[in-house]
Amino acid sequence: VIKCKAAVAWEAGKPLSIEEVEVAPPKAHEVRIKIVATAVCHTDAYTLSGADPEGCFPVILGHEGAGIVESVGEGVTKVKKGDTVIPLYIPQCGECKFCKNPKTNLCQKIRITQGKGVMPDGTSRFTCKGKQIYHFMGTSTFSEYTVVADISVAKIDAAAPLDKVCLLGCGISTGYGAAVNTAKVEPGSTCAVFGLGGVGLAVIMGCRIAGASRIIGIDINKDKYAKAKEFGATECISPQDSKKPIQEVLVEMTDGGVDYSFECIGNVGVMRAALEACHKGWGVSVIVGVAAAGQEISTRPFQLVTGRTWKGTAFGGWKSVNSVPKLVTEYMSKKIKVDEFVTHTLPFDKINEAFELMHSGK
């Protein structure tokens, strides 16, 4: 058993608490990882807020991390002690019907236990002050050591800087893949990206790499426009600058609507606007943002009857174990940006400050 520091969420709506936790050794088909770097994501904040119906407490959150394999349980063959890895919140077992289908990346092998906050055998590897602590998204990267299923880990280039590539565990991969895998943006096309946070910037990057000729960034926070343009946005607009609904503004700006739109916020009203900003006959709108539990989307069916397509994406459609090492290679060869997404680097015990920076849009 390893004793180490972790940021424990004891209950919903309270700040994380830095505690000494005990991390049990990995059982069969499990991997124990020394986490070197982790990022914060709105998904962590959503569960911490108490709004997530799957949220269990007390829990160690975090799902964008990178580290080194400390030990492996019996039967583990894909990674060994000392390997550099990224934990995966969407695993890839290679055996379930989802993994065998090229149309999806949503491996279901450990979905039920992962959603309950436990390892595939139904138990936790974390304890603190004599209490069992739940796992989160199969990763729990807000701990100096974590245990994950062997199908939830990608071995990456040992030369990669872990404080950067940890972002490929969720946000950057999600946005980039939404553009290149889910939407399949084509050269010369016009795109609109709603929400210019990390995921939105990654979508813009994907659209640019795919050859889009016009990329319109949409956000009410104008402080984000300069960064969006760095990533490839050709112009940025705020919905608050017009009395008309934003979809009407976009339809007018683009002679009938955009070829591709992306919702990167998790707001069902914006999801509707993103669909309705698409061009009649061929426009495709991709939902990337995660809406709160129980919310529903709506539009007039005529929007779809007249040739628009509404799609969703999880982790950018990447088959995780196979794709994450390739994404790291693309970063190392400078095909995709990663460093530019990092605005702040804080010591682990300042993790609550990191959440405050995220909530304030900084």
Side-chain angles (χ1 to χ4, degrees), residues 24-30 109-114 116-126 132-133 135 147-151:
K27 295 189 182 178
H29 294 288
E30 294 177 3
K109 180 83 178 275
I110 59 173
R111 176 74 198 94
I112 290 170
T113 49
Q114 181 170 314
K116 289 178 177 163
V118 290
M119 294 299 289
D121 73 344
T123 63
S124 168
R125 301 291 163 269
F126 298 120
Q132 172 182 290
I133 308 291
H135 294 250
V147 179
V148 304
D150 62 354
I151 59 171

Side-chain angles (χ1 to χ4, degrees), residues 191-205:
C191 303
V193 181
F194 291 77
L196 301 177
V199 174
L201 293 176
V203 171
I204 289 171
M205 176 176 76

Side-chain angles (χ1 to χ4, degrees), residues 165-224:
V165 295
C166 62
L167 293 168
L168 293 170
C170 177
I172 297 177
S173 305
T174 296
Y176 177 42
V180 300
N181 296 331
T182 310
K184 296 185 168 63
V185 170
E186 295 160 319
S189 55
T190 299
C191 303
V193 181
F194 291 77
L196 301 177
V199 174
L201 293 176
V203 171
I204 289 171
M205 176 176 76
C207 292
R208 183 187 58 74
I209 289 170
S213 59
R214 192 173 180 191
I215 305 168
I216 305 165
I218 300 128
D219 202 299
I220 56 177
N221 181 352
K222 295 188 177 180
D223 293 343
K224 301 203 165 189

Side-chain angles (χ1 to χ4, degrees), residues 2-216:
I2 289 177
K3 288 187 174 178
C4 69
K5 282 196 302 188
V8 177
W10 287 106
E11 56 184 300
K14 297 280 170 70
L16 301 177
S17 175
I18 302 289
E19 305 279 3
E20 182 179 80
V21 298
E22 295 86 41
V23 185
K27 295 189 182 178
H29 294 288
E30 294 177 3
V31 179
R32 187 159 61 181
I33 302 167
K34 177 180 170 55
I35 296 288
V36 174
T38 185
V40 296
C41 172
H42 281 282
T43 310
D44 304 305
Y46 170 62
T47 298
L48 185 58
S49 74
D52 180 358
E54 265 199 354
C56 326
F57 294 90
V59 64
I60 295 172
L61 299 170
H63 63 284
E64 287 187 328
I68 310 292
V69 174
E70 177 274 332
S71 58
V72 299
E74 65 175 281
V76 175
T77 56
K78 300 267 174 70
V79 295
K80 63 184 186 304
K81 181 176 178 171
D83 282 349
T84 305
V85 293
I86 290 177
L88 308 167
Y89 71 91
I90 294 182
Q92 185 186 353
C93 72
E95 295 163 0
C96 70
K97 69 178 181 183
F98 288 80
C99 281
K100 286 180 172 169
N101 191 319
K103 294 177 180 175
T104 185
N105 62 330
L106 296 174
C107 173
Q108 297 295 293
K109 180 83 178 275
I110 59 173
R111 176 74 198 94
I112 290 170
T113 49
Q114 181 170 314
K116 289 178 177 163
V118 290
M119 294 299 289
D121 73 344
T123 63
S124 168
R125 301 291 163 269
F126 298 120
T127 49
C128 181
K129 297 177 180 170
K131 292 197 175 95
Q132 172 182 290
I133 308 291
Y134 287 108
H135 294 250
F136 177 68
M137 289 175 76
T139 52
S140 289
T141 60
F142 293 172
S143 174
E144 291 180 319
Y145 287 85
T146 190
V147 179
V148 304
D150 62 354
I151 59 171
S152 302
V153 64
K155 180 183 171 181
I156 62 161
D157 183 344
L162 300 188
D163 60 329
K164 306 293 194 296
V165 295
C166 62
L167 293 168
L168 293 170
C170 177
I172 297 177
S173 305
T174 296
Y176 177 42
V180 300
N181 296 331
T182 310
K184 296 185 168 63
V185 170
E186 295 160 319
S189 55
T190 299
C191 303
V193 181
F194 291 77
L196 301 177
V199 174
L201 293 176
V203 171
I204 289 171
M205 176 176 76
C207 292
R208 183 187 58 74
I209 289 170
S213 59
R214 192 173 180 191
I215 305 168
I216 305 165

